[in-house]
């Protein structure tokens, strides 16, 4: 079972790397390996940590996300532009 201090370290790594232009997933995998975490459930824990980070980002940018959603149906020109930029960045 993962110990509390290990969970805290992984949470800190995810939190710090989520807002930087580096791979939070890669760093989470590396730190898990360095901590010797290879038990069942560690990968699930990593996914849950990342889902929490995504939820936090969506909450923080909820106005922009709502604007992009309205832009899907043509109701918000700025939201449509944000959505277009987001789609281009994925390409």
């Amino acid at each position: 079972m993962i110990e509390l201090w290990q969970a805290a370290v992984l949470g800190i790594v995810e939190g710090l790397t989520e807002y930087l232009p580096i791979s939070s997933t890669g760093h989470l995998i590396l730190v898990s390996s360095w901590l010797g975490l290879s038990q069942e459930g560690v990968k699930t824990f990593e996914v849950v940590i990342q889902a929490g980070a995504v939820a936090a980002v969506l909450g923080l940018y909820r106005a922009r996300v709502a604007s992009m959603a309205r832009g899907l149906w043509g109701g918000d020109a700025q939201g449509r532009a944000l959505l277009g930029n987001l789609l281009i960045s994925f390409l």
Side-chain angles (χ1 to χ4, degrees):
M1 178 134 207
I2 189 169
E3 295 186 30
L4 183 60
W5 71 270
Q6 293 169 321
V9 168
L10 292 175
I12 290 168
V13 168
E14 177 65 23
L16 290 175
T17 58
E18 190 62 37
Y19 292 98
L20 299 173
I22 57 177
S23 172
S24 61
T25 305
H27 282 82
L28 206 56
I29 291 169
L30 286 174
V31 172
S32 291
S33 177
W34 290 338
L35 292 175
L37 298 174
S38 60
Q39 311 94 307
E40 278 300 309
V42 172
K43 299 298 179 203
T44 303
F45 184 74
E46 291 172 355
V47 169
V48 169
I49 287 176
Q50 291 189 318
V54 169
V57 169
L58 288 174
L60 184 63
Y61 292 105
R62 65 186 167 275
R64 285 188 176 183
V65 172
S67 176
M68 286 188 285
R70 288 189 302 272
L72 284 172
W73 292 276
D76 189 331
Q78 184 179 11
R80 196 170 39 256
L82 281 169
L83 185 60
N85 290 338
L86 181 65
L87 293 174
I88 289 170
S89 71
F90 278 115
L91 294 174

